[in-house]
Amino acid sequence: MTSDSENKAGVRRVYLDHSATTPVRAEVMGAMMPYFAGQFGNPSSIHRWGREARAAVEDARAKVASLIGAAPQEIIFTSGGTEADNLAIRGTAWHKRSKGNHLITSSVEHHAVLHTCETLEKEGFKVTYLPVDKYGMIDPEDVEKAITDETILITIMHGQNEVGTIEPVREIGQIARRHGVTFHVDAVQSAGKIPIDVSDMNIDLLTMSSHKMYGPKGVGALYVRKGVRLSPQATGGSHERGLRAGTENVPGIVGFGEACRLAKEEMPEESLRLTRLRDRLIGGILDSIPDTVLNGHPTIRLPHHVNISFKFIEGESILLNLDLMGIGASSGSACTSGSLEPSHVLLAMGLPHELAHGSVRMTLGKGNSEEDIDYVISVLPPIVSKLRDMSVFR
Ligand SMILES: *Cc1c(COP(=O)(O)O)cnc(C)c1O
């Protein structure tokens, strides 16, 4: 594993950003390879080449469906999580426009959901953005109280991508079902990590993304419960039951299917292993560095997810120093746009600015070992003391 865990200078390399993306597994790449050149057919073609490609797509559809307890016909392949979120939300809003114009979501959703809702507001829809508690948790009672005669969609995520909290989707699903409101769940972070059963959880629409679970980028899926109707957002052909026109990304879909099959098979063991590593990392940091706080729910959280705030310093400067030590993490105060506003998620949780600015997200994955965790725990304290010594905030 030299190439993965060490660079040429011999510095250990530890990738702790699996919620941003994951490497494609060798088994997944192996499954995809034949479909680039040898079996390159268009699944819509009637000849042998087309039939081979169609069979591969349908085989992958069954594997994706099986991961979430769905039927294969209920899976619509898309270009990823963002497109699936758009199809679910815009597709429901426009299809049900004559029934009502109100949507319910939360203040901690991914931008693929939030920006889509904001766009719909400009188009005349009304949106309720529910608050969360200090752990980033949504209260199902708030969902029920927000429902009106006009409500056509509830869209709530399963695993929160920035702080790792697992939202009470089963309870919200029961409420949605009782009120006859369509229920969409963004499960990009939880799929393949923790069990999902769309029937048991009363979910009508569910978003998944391949590249967050060791599959290739640019492919995802929307689960659409049998009988749930949507307005297609891409028109041009009858692909994917008329809900998503365009020639299928056959190699990508095949890879996604294989990633789902492996995730299902390995989930019990791997989620336990990740939980142990996660708790070792959280405990190691909180015990060895003063003025640190775990963000997100302490126990009802994704098995691979750690988010910690370091008082008095900027998450960004910790990241740069970690990067110099070969460690890849991310921060909640993403200043990609040049603004130093902390993330909407940490602010919605009511984190004071000094904590929101000092947040670092470390998300574990298949390639991480106990040695990786111990390495991080050994390099972090000197980085934090150095930065705090220079800090003007303390
Ligand atoms: C990554 C992510 C998305 C977007 O998925 P893409 O496949 O990258 O478009 C949507 N929702 C959540 C929660 C995510 O983490």
Side-chain angles (χ1 to χ4, degrees):
M1 289 283 284
T2 5
S3 61
D4 201 38
S5 57
E6 280 177 27
N7 67 17
K8 287 205 181 71
V11 174
R12 200 177 182 97
R13 288 182 61 178
V14 182
Y15 181 77
L16 292 181
D17 205 6
H18 291 85
S19 282
T21 196
T22 57
V24 176
R25 294 178 64 155
E27 302 93 316
V28 167
M29 226 183 316
M32 293 172 70
M33 288 315 279
Y35 296 94
F36 284 103
Q39 288 161 268
F40 62 87
N42 184 325
S44 299
S45 300
I46 216 155
H47 45 61
R48 176 177 301 271
W49 290 266
R51 291 197 309 271
E52 282 173 359
R54 170 58 57 200
V57 167
E58 296 316 317
D59 178 59
R61 201 185 303 281
K63 290 173 178 166
V64 174
S66 164
L67 180 64
I68 58 167
Q73 318 81 268
E74 296 174 311
I75 299 297
I76 303 297
F77 287 116
T78 66
S79 67
T82 301
E83 191 197 326
D85 281 343
N86 271 267
L87 175 58
I89 298 167
R90 308 182 66 84
T92 301
W94 285 100
H95 183 76
K96 295 183 117 186
R97 197 160 50 126
S98 60
K99 294 213 180 77
N101 72 343
H102 178 231
L103 288 73
I104 298 172
T105 188
S106 84
S107 46
V108 298
E109 299 299 308
H110 190 272
H111 283 146
V113 167
L114 284 181
H115 290 176
T116 304
C117 287
E118 285 161 17
T119 308
L120 285 171
E121 281 186 283
K122 294 197 186 100
E123 294 166 5
F125 292 91
K126 294 203 177 74
V127 182
T128 300
Y129 300 90
L130 296 173
V132 291
D133 69 10
K134 62 178 176 175
Y135 298 130
M137 186 88 76
I138 296 149
D139 185 346
E141 267 185 39
D142 288 343
V143 177
E144 185 145 36
K145 280 186 212 141
I147 296 175
T148 71
D149 292 345
E150 292 282 311
T151 308
I152 49 176
L153 178 70
I154 297 169
T155 171
I156 297 288
M157 72 199 318
H158 192 200
Q160 211 294 323
N161 52 301
E162 284 186 42
V163 297
T165 298
I166 299 171
E167 302 295 348
V169 296
R170 186 191 311 271
E171 290 80 352
I172 297 170
Q174 280 167 0
I175 292 166
R177 183 56 51 90
R178 202 157 61 234
H179 290 265
V181 178
T182 304
F183 182 35
H184 168 242
V185 173
D186 179 332
V188 170
Q189 292 291 338
S190 58
K193 305 276 186 334
I194 55 175
I196 295 176
D197 186 309
V198 286
S199 298
D200 177 47
M201 294 165 132
N202 285 312
I203 295 167
D204 298 309
L205 302 161
L206 179 133
T207 294
M208 298 169 73
S209 174
S210 153
H211 78 100
K212 304 278 175 81
M213 42 181 294
Y214 307 97
K217 293 171 183 60
V219 58
L222 182 67
Y223 156 77
V224 182
R225 175 181 293 281
K226 189 170 184 286
V228 170
R229 307 273 309 277
L230 299 173
S231 294
Q233 299 303 301
T235 47
S238 58
H239 314 85
E240 300 297 304
R241 289 182 21 223
L243 285 177
R244 202 275 184 177
T247 302
E248 297 87 343
N249 172 3
V250 179
I253 288 170
V254 168
F256 182 25
E258 185 63 6
C260 287
R261 187 187 70 76
L262 290 162
K264 184 178 178 184
E265 189 179 290
E266 297 171 5
M267 192 188 300
E269 223 175 306
E270 181 63 2
S271 75
L272 246 173
R273 191 188 75 90
L274 288 172
T275 303
R276 288 206 192 97
L277 291 182
R278 176 196 77 186
D279 293 343
R280 187 183 183 95
L281 182 57
I282 294 173
I285 295 173
L286 297 186
D287 289 349
S288 65
I289 309 178
D291 295 310
T292 47
V293 182
L294 176 71
N295 293 316
H297 198 283
T299 53
I300 309 175
R301 64 186 301 119
L302 294 167
H304 68 298
H305 205 295
V306 177
N307 185 316
I308 289 179
S309 280
F310 300 81
K311 275 188 204 165
F312 316 120
I313 49 180
E314 293 283 340
E316 303 282 305
S317 32
I318 303 173
L319 291 191
L320 296 174
N321 280 273
L322 284 174
D323 190 32
L324 292 174
M325 299 303 289
I327 300 164
S330 71
S331 93
S333 50
C335 58
T336 39
S337 58
S339 81
L340 270 170
E341 267 301 287
S343 94
H344 66 284
V345 177
L346 300 176
L347 291 181
M349 287 160 57
L351 249 73
H353 274 255
E354 76 265 23
L355 280 178
H357 279 291
S359 121
V360 173
R361 179 183 79 171
M362 289 166 277
T363 43
L364 315 175
K366 285 197 74 63
N368 296 135
S369 63
E370 234 167 63
E371 291 75 44
D372 289 342
I373 302 306
D374 294 344
Y375 174 65
V376 177
I377 296 171
S378 74
V379 303
L380 249 177
I383 290 177
V384 172
S385 345
K386 184 185 77 177
L387 291 172
R388 281 182 178 165
D389 285 345
M390 303 187 308
S391 169
V392 295
F393 297 114
R394 65 173 321 181

